[in-house]
Amino acid sequence: TRPLLEIKNLNVDYGLGDEAVHAVRDVNLTIHRGEVVGLAGESGSGKSTLAYGITRLLPPPGVVSGGSVTYHPPSGDPYDVLALSHSELRKFRWAETSIVFQGAMNSLNPVHKIDVQMMDAIKAHEPKLSKSARLDRAKEMLRLVGIAEDRLEAYPHQLSGGMRQRVMIGMALALEPQLVIMDEPTTALDVVMQRQILGQLVELRERLGFSVLFITHDLSLLVEFSDRIAIMYGGRIVEEAPSAELYRDPLHPYSNGLLRSFPALRGARRELAGIPGSPPDLRGMPSGCAFHPRCPKRFEPCDKEIPVLGKPDDHVGAARSVACWLHPVTAG
Ligand code: ATP
Ligand code: MG
């Protein structure tokens, strides 16, 4: 499959110089056409920062301090998103990527009805579409995200948080993007609804052919619905593998811990089973592998050198990578 977005050695800082918090560190990740990639990791691991960084929506004092994000359009030459001018960037955001960020439901305009907002968004994207065609598209998208047509006439405050979030998802899809980035779009929804939306998205992906980057704490959702999963810890991707392989045989002890901490179907999220402690402070990272202080399998090299992410020698031929001294990487 062809790549859609290639993230290479991406680094993102908040602030400058000694004050800088290095929130994303040397991230390499490729999203292929039509692929659903899941990104998981505890709070503060840098998932949102990565998503903001690749779409250049970082809030100040966030800056991309290194790397490239190569986008391969359906036709034409690939280009680096990080090098686009502001006007090119605006076009890129509308035409190529749609983003539903954490708390996106609060970005609906309170003074306009849902139909007006959806039709405006569609019009900005496809000015030639007739009004009735835009209305049809808006209705179809709402139906896809499970909202009754009559809700088009509602104002945002008349909808629940979960419904507003689903409107945002419908609006994102209405623009027929190549890549949909969802940053925990479903936290406001119950578990049943989360599964339903991600399931619908995967189905639509097959029909419409877009790719998805889905960010969540809930690894069980990703195992079920994504093609590949990347796990972040302390700003780095520590493991990346096809979902089934990650589930069957997690190589990084952190991935293993996350997998064993599936949130219960009902009730509070469970603690990370067998992994005591909390995520590292980005201002004072542990030496070597950032996970070593919490790792049940740490041994001699772990606090000395940072393991690089790569295809491990003990899994040659597998389409997966890991950054862990238990699975050393020698080639490339
Ligand atoms: P969550 O699961 O809670 O959404 P996350 O994985 O998305 O977490 P980020 O929000 O990307 O994590 O944050 C990564 C790190 O960057 C955190 O340590 C956070 O404190 C820091 N950070 C985020 N935003 C800022 C900011 N505006 N200024 C300074 N530091 C920030
Ligand atoms: Mg986040």
Side-chain angles (χ1 to χ4, degrees), residues 12-15 19 21-24 40-52 58-62 102 183-184 215-217 232 235 280-283:
V12 180
D13 297 343
Y14 290 104
E19 297 292 294
V21 173
H22 201 166
V24 165
E42 281 167 289
S43 190
S45 57
K47 305 182 298 296
S48 297
T49 304
L50 178 61
Y52 281 106
L58 281 168
Q102 258 171 355
D183 188 359
E184 293 181 306
I215 301 174
T216 179
H217 292 108
M232 276 188 98
D281 174 4
L282 293 174
R283 288 176 191 277

Side-chain angles (χ1 to χ4, degrees), residues 159-329:
L159 304 178
S160 68
M163 279 177 121
R164 290 204 298 275
Q165 192 73 315
R166 279 185 282 153
V167 168
M168 294 304 294
I169 294 167
M171 213 185 286
L173 294 179
L175 308 184
E176 300 180 332
Q178 299 294 317
L179 174 66
V180 179
I181 300 176
M182 301 227 172
D183 188 359
E184 293 181 306
T186 51
T187 39
L189 315 179
D190 66 40
V191 174
V192 176
M193 193 55 76
Q194 286 190 22
R195 295 192 66 262
Q196 197 177 323
I197 285 191
L198 194 49
Q200 278 167 346
L201 204 62
V202 169
E203 208 181 286
L204 285 174
R205 166 286 293 257
E206 266 149 29
R207 214 167 78 204
L208 305 176
F210 54 80
S211 309
V212 181
L213 178 63
F214 195 88
I215 301 174
T216 179
H217 292 108
D218 190 347
L219 205 44
S220 60
L221 272 183
L222 297 185
V223 165
E224 188 171 358
F225 290 109
S226 56
D227 301 308
R228 272 189 310 133
I229 298 176
I231 308 279
M232 276 188 98
Y233 190 81
R236 292 180 188 276
I237 291 181
V238 296
E239 180 160 9
E240 192 219 298
S243 303
E245 285 179 45
L246 188 96
Y247 181 67
R248 182 165 26 85
D249 180 24
L251 299 182
H252 201 291
Y254 181 61
S255 311
N256 189 47
L258 273 187
L259 275 170
R260 292 194 290 140
S261 68
F262 281 178
L265 251 179
R266 267 166 240 284
R269 197 179 300 280
R270 276 194 268 149
E271 293 285 295
L272 285 193
I275 300 188
S278 42
D281 174 4
L282 293 174
R283 288 176 191 277
M285 288 286 270
S287 61
C289 171
F291 186 61
H292 88 260
R294 301 171 73 188
C295 185
K297 296 198 166 164
R298 70 168 173 268
F299 64 119
E300 181 261 325
C302 300
D303 64 349
K304 299 193 177 57
E305 218 182 313
I306 300 175
V308 294
L309 182 73
K311 202 179 261 196
D313 299 346
D314 54 1
H315 285 73
V316 186
R320 59 186 302 177
S321 14
V322 66
C324 174
W325 288 116
L326 291 169
H327 305 278
V329 174

